[in-house]
Amino acid sequence: MEKYYITTAIAYTSSKPHIGNTYEAILADSIARYKRLRGYDVYFQTGTDEHGEKIAQNASLAGLTPQEYVDNVQREIQEIWDLMNISYDKFVRTSDNNHKKVVQKIFKKLFDQGDIYKGKYEGLYCTPCESFITESQLVDGKCPDCGRDVHLASEEAYFFKLSKYQKRLEEYILNHPEFIQPESRKNEMINNFLKPGLQDLCVSRTSFDWGIKVDFDPEHVVYVWLDALTNYITNIGYDVNNTTSEFKKYWPADLHLVGKDIIRFHTIYWPIFLMALDLPLPKQVFGHPWLLFGKNQEKMSKSRGNVIYADDLVRQFGVDAIRYYVLHEIPFSNDGTITYELLIERINSDLVNILGNLVNRTISMVNKYFNREITNKGVYSDVDASLISEINNLDEKIEEKMSKLEIGASIDAIFDVLRKSNKYIDETMPWVLAKDENKRDQLESVLFNLLESIRVCAIFLKPFLPDTSDNILFQINNFDESLRYNQNNHYLVLNPSILFYRIDKEKKLAELENKN
Ligand code: MSP
């Protein structure tokens, strides 16, 4: 079985994650589930990034030790991932002992081989991002990543000789066009970071101590990005000298899924660290766009007071409605927006009208006209053939979209077939056929075709809406896994139950308004 190792970025345990951070876990989950559906031996890793100055500051504000603080936030994050049905194989924490031990060994190895040296750093520092920034990277005098003020800082520090690997990295990026995706992100990396030339990277700190200590110089803690990035290898058995069979099996990763703000760390620093460790590079780094909030398309932030949390949304709308919205509405390379209004509209128009209605109408008719039981009577006309070919084309269409990680387009392809199936009901008018005894076989064939369409669509919906998919397959009571129209199927359906309830938009908006 071919393996597929997929990772998300590991979330900071600085505070409870909002729906924007959660989006990434949902996106990765849908890809992991899709690959499982296609028969891959998937290993899906996610987790938390628990060290650094900002986290230590938050802990002290909360009157807790850093460890107590990260334990609380980590639990909250994992609970949200579980609530959203994130099917991770491993949830890693950078405070795990094994991770800490291996990071120390990696640091020592890089120091011993001369890639890391000790020096003094003076420069502009962004505290929230925990990174020094060069003059040329400033945007309007502010941090290019978070837009906040930077200040002058100076400290004794260890440095990594990035420049030594610059040429090799450039060649690698040139020869592996699939490495950085989407294309626009690759150009950004080349033009903004590689072309101006890489400067040596400061990889230790002495100004705080909540981090992994450099074991041969314990005044220093390892720079949080060197600590965080290595999670991708330390947790699958990399141990510097003794490489385990698990590591050999899963590395290199097939996909690192990260937000566009941190693609730089994953496509410049991370590959260079790996080159220095003499390890192969991940096959692909995909920088997804952001989920912005509200009509003004703002980045969610606590200070703006516009943060929404996945668990609140789930309480209001249910897990799959939220998964559907974020997976469908966030375009492949541009930022997407979430508002309550749009969310309710989508639920009503797509999940209730298209999906829910089709399943409910079909199962109700099978109950009503055939006492639950249907086989294929093989009465075909042009309109049936066209539906069947739509069902059979889905397999290839979805693979084509998913191979480019175009999740929204894959969902669209499924909903196209669902929409066509609703239209097919209007065209074939089963309630008219039901009035004519001579049309019984035709009626049964029509309902059979609809059940097959629902079955195949439900299977393809599994990566995106896992609970709903299970619920549909349970209701049609058929667990044939074939991804095409199967003329030999036999159905004995159960009673229909509502998949998604229509939401009264004005009423719900007023209710949410009062709550806030
Ligand atoms: N800890 C680092 C990642 C280290 S990976 C070795 C980090 N953490 S984070 O909590 O700030 O972000 C986690 C992920 O969520 C990142 O990939 C980030 O881009 C993503 N997102 C943060 N805000 C987001 C949105 N509003 N929308 C979509 N993704 C968002 O960065």
Side-chain angles (χ1 to χ4, degrees):
M1 221 197 266
E2 200 177 331
K3 68 90 187 174
Y4 189 81
Y5 176 28
I6 174 172
T7 68
T8 64
I10 48 173
Y12 285 128
T13 47
S14 39
S15 58
K16 177 174 170 173
H18 53 61
I19 183 67
N21 308 121
T22 312
Y23 161 64
E24 180 174 297
I26 300 173
L27 185 62
D29 180 64
S30 71
I31 299 166
R33 286 176 185 269
Y34 178 75
K35 289 289 177 184
R36 287 192 201 109
L37 180 72
R38 292 293 186 181
Y40 284 79
D41 172 7
V42 171
Y43 188 74
F44 171 19
Q45 182 169 293
T46 184
T48 40
D49 187 354
E50 306 190 359
H51 295 129
E53 191 174 9
K54 193 174 164 206
I55 291 172
Q57 282 167 357
N58 286 3
S60 117
L61 285 173
L64 297 171
T65 65
Q67 190 63 54
E68 286 167 345
Y69 184 81
V70 297
D71 284 349
N72 289 343
V73 181
Q74 186 278 336
R75 196 173 320 115
E76 228 171 356
I77 295 177
Q78 195 166 357
E79 276 168 12
I80 292 184
W81 272 211
D82 291 342
L83 175 71
M84 298 314 298
N85 252 329
I86 308 302
S87 61
Y88 53 83
D89 295 290
K90 176 114 179 197
F91 193 105
V92 303
R93 302 182 60 176
T94 54
S95 62
D96 283 345
N97 280 333
N98 177 62
H99 173 75
K100 290 197 277 198
K101 196 184 79 205
V102 180
V103 169
Q104 286 175 328
K105 286 193 195 174
I106 290 174
F107 198 95
K108 179 81 169 55
K109 177 181 162 70
L110 297 176
F111 179 75
D112 286 346
Q113 69 190 34
D115 285 318
I116 287 179
Y117 63 93
K118 198 169 183 176
K120 192 167 174 143
Y121 198 94
E122 271 166 357
L124 299 167
Y125 187 67
C126 173
T127 308
C129 295
E130 325 225 3
S131 51
F132 278 99
I133 287 145
T134 61
E135 290 278 351
S136 66
Q137 289 167 343
L138 292 176
V139 176
D140 298 333
K142 312 259 181 192
C143 168
D145 291 322
C146 72
R148 280 179 270 210
D149 287 336
V150 293
H151 61 272
L152 260 178
S154 154
E155 61 184 43
E156 182 191 67
Y158 287 91
F159 289 86
F160 188 103
K161 288 184 194 158
L162 287 183
S163 50
K164 177 175 156 191
Y165 295 93
Q166 163 142 7
K167 191 119 208 77
R168 247 175 90 185
L169 178 60
E170 280 171 355
E171 274 163 20
Y172 187 89
I173 293 175
L174 202 69
N175 294 329
H176 296 81
E178 71 299 336
F179 176 54
I180 308 177
Q181 286 296 322
E183 196 71 18
S184 54
R185 307 264 174 257
K186 171 162 69 185
N187 300 335
E188 239 171 74
M189 290 305 116
I190 296 174
N191 295 332
N192 299 355
F193 296 102
L194 287 170
K195 283 220 174 111
L198 293 175
Q199 301 185 357
D200 290 353
L201 175 73
C202 180
V203 288
S204 80
R205 296 285 184 274
T206 52
S207 51
F208 60 94
D209 66 357
W210 178 239
I212 301 176
K213 292 209 171 353
V214 174
D215 53 359
F216 56 90
D217 194 353
E219 287 282 287
H220 291 255
V221 296
V222 176
Y223 168 57
V224 74
W225 276 99
L226 180 55
D227 165 358
L229 288 162
T230 49
N231 91 84
Y232 302 130
I233 54 175
T234 59
N235 285 289
I236 53 163
Y238 178 71
D239 194 17
V240 185
N241 300 319
N242 314 311
T243 301
T244 60
S245 58
E246 192 193 10
F247 182 72
K248 277 195 204 121
K249 175 172 174 191
Y250 288 113
W251 193 257
D254 294 84
L255 178 64
H256 289 320
L257 194 64
V258 301
K260 61 179 188 179
D261 52 323
I262 58 169
I263 195 146
R264 165 163 66 106
F265 299 95
H266 284 79
T267 57
I268 296 178
Y269 301 163
W270 180 226
I272 288 182
F273 296 155
L274 288 166
M275 283 174 179
L277 293 171
D278 206 16
L279 292 174
L281 305 197
K283 293 187 194 151
Q284 186 167 88
V285 177
F286 186 91
H288 63 72
W290 272 358
L291 178 58
L292 305 175
F293 181 74
K295 290 199 183 83
N296 303 329
Q297 307 232 327
E298 293 171 333
K299 186 173 185 309
M300 272 176 239
S301 84
K302 285 205 168 152
S303 55
R304 290 198 182 113
N306 64 359
V307 181
I308 40 176
Y309 299 105
D311 50 344
D312 288 339
L313 287 171
V314 165
R315 233 167 279 132
Q316 297 292 338
F317 303 100
V319 173
D320 278 356
I322 303 307
R323 286 181 65 112
Y324 178 78
Y325 186 86
V326 296
L327 290 173
H328 182 246
E329 294 305 301
I330 314 234
F332 168 72
S333 56
N334 304 322
D335 292 338
T337 312
I338 185 164
T339 65
Y340 290 120
E341 218 166 333
L342 287 173
L343 176 60
I344 296 169
E345 280 168 16
R346 274 286 167 237
I347 293 174
N348 285 342
S349 67
D350 298 1
L351 298 177
V352 177
N353 282 359
I354 299 174
L355 175 62
N357 256 355
L358 173 69
V359 174
N360 203 274
R361 281 163 96 188
T362 304
I363 299 180
S364 301
M365 289 191 286
V366 174
N367 268 280
K368 184 169 165 195
Y369 300 136
F370 290 95
N371 193 23
R372 299 171 42 208
E373 192 168 359
I374 292 274
T375 53
N376 181 17
K377 288 289 187 293
V379 181
Y380 292 116
S381 67
D382 282 355
V383 46
D384 309 300
S386 138
L387 180 70
I388 292 167
S389 96
E390 290 285 339
I391 300 170
N392 285 337
N393 288 339
L394 207 47
D395 190 2
E396 209 174 298
K397 254 191 211 160
I398 292 188
E399 179 55 25
E400 197 255 324
K401 302 288 176 209
M402 286 302 284
S403 66
K404 293 186 278 177
L405 303 181
E406 293 181 8
I407 314 289
S410 307
I411 296 179
D412 278 340
I414 303 171
F415 272 74
D416 277 347
V417 177
L418 295 170
R419 217 177 272 114
K420 295 243 164 64
S421 306
N422 277 318
K423 194 162 156 251
Y424 175 80
I425 298 184
D426 298 340
E427 285 164 352
T428 53
M429 295 190 285
W431 52 92
V432 175
L433 298 175
K435 288 192 182 123
D436 186 343
E437 248 327 292
N438 298 325
K439 302 254 168 83
R440 225 125 161 104
D441 281 358
Q442 191 184 344
L443 175 62
E444 191 166 349
S445 298
V446 163
L447 294 179
F448 178 85
N449 295 340
L450 285 168
L451 285 170
E452 272 300 285
S453 169
I454 291 171
R455 181 185 65 78
V456 173
C457 288
I459 295 177
F460 280 118
L461 278 176
K462 207 179 262 283
F464 314 112
L465 311 178
D467 283 349
T468 304
S469 164
D470 286 348
N471 189 347
I472 297 171
L473 295 172
F474 176 80
Q475 290 188 38
I476 62 171
N477 195 22
N478 185 303
F479 300 93
D480 169 25
E481 289 178 354
S482 109
L483 300 174
R484 314 195 114 227
Y485 179 85
N486 176 0
Q487 59 177 356
N488 299 320
N489 249 329
H490 173 240
Y491 284 90
L492 188 61
V493 306
L494 305 179
N495 286 328
S497 71
I498 304 282
L499 294 174
F500 294 95
Y501 286 92
R502 177 174 308 285
I503 300 171
D504 180 331
K505 187 163 103 182
E506 302 313 321
K507 204 170 131 204
K508 189 75 171 181
L509 287 175
E511 208 181 293
L512 289 164
E513 186 71 25
N514 287 338
K515 224 182 125 253
N516 291 332

